[in-house]
Amino acid sequence: MAFAVARTRDEAHLYFDLHPCACGSVDTTWRSGLVNVEGALANRYTGVCEGCGAAREYVFGLPEQPVMPAGYPTFGGPEPSELLDAGEWLWVADLTAGNVPVDDRDEALRSLRVAAAAVEEAVKFVPPGADAVPDDGFWSERGRLVRAAEPGRFALDRLLIVRDTYQELAGRYV
């Protein structure tokens, strides 16, 4: 049985934030550990929803090459995400960059780094030699809606400008 791969802890936890409990709460203290599923190793996350007490569980495949986190955030290696599509990554970038606090330098830096990293994740969906994210880079409802609202945002040159802008803004807080 194949599971979608969570490349890093940061990516898994972002996925949890975007997929709340049936009650709507994202408040869950997650524990993780390796499990054997039909002869294959996987990473299992379990927790109890703090909103309603429901048991929650996700099982993810392991990346072929482990990603050694360096800095924050570390969403994954050079390959595109299997958990979030390009539209969802840009949605995360928009949401995060749109809420940069003006009175907390550390949180502003963190927010801009997350926004830049999220755009970089969308860039990973552009195949070598292509100039935009292809149709198969969008599979979630949220991701398709973001793309439908403004498809030109997924052109490689625009993605790179947005990523670089967030990185430049973050550099002002270092």
Side-chain angles (χ1 to χ4, degrees):
M1 172 178 275
F3 296 101
V5 171
R7 299 167 297 164
T8 65
R9 180 185 175 280
D10 289 346
E11 182 180 38
H13 281 263
L14 177 59
Y15 181 85
F16 303 148
D17 288 346
L18 297 179
H19 295 86
C21 178
C23 76
S25 175
V26 296
D27 296 325
T28 302
T29 300
W30 294 100
R31 290 174 301 192
S32 69
L34 291 177
V35 294
N36 185 323
V37 180
E38 297 179 12
L41 286 179
N43 197 359
R44 182 175 140 217
Y45 285 84
T46 59
V48 175
C49 174
E50 294 175 21
C52 69
R56 300 188 67 203
E57 177 183 67
Y58 287 97
V59 179
F60 298 117
L62 300 175
E64 286 187 32
Q65 295 292 322
V67 177
M68 301 308 292
Y72 175 83
T74 304
F75 292 124
E79 69 286 340
S81 176
E82 294 180 16
L83 300 182
L84 305 174
D85 68 22
E88 288 177 297
W89 283 112
L90 205 53
W91 183 84
V92 167
D94 291 346
L95 181 68
T96 307
N99 291 299
V100 175
V102 295
D103 58 348
D104 184 337
R105 290 181 63 83
D106 291 340
E107 186 61 22
L109 175 60
R110 188 195 74 75
S111 295
L112 289 165
R113 283 182 173 164
V114 167
V119 176
E120 179 62 28
E121 289 301 321
V123 168
K124 293 176 185 179
F125 283 90
V126 179
D131 60 358
V133 176
D135 291 344
D136 64 359
F138 306 89
W139 60 81
S140 71
E141 181 179 353
R142 179 183 291 136
R144 284 191 222 106
L145 288 171
V146 171
R147 181 183 190 208
E150 196 175 346
R153 294 183 70 201
F154 293 92
L156 179 59
D157 58 347
R158 284 186 67 181
L159 289 169
L160 294 174
I161 289 168
V162 172
R163 181 205 60 197
D164 293 350
T165 299
Y166 292 152
Q167 289 173 341
E168 179 184 320
L169 291 170
R172 296 178 186 176
Y173 291 96
V174 178

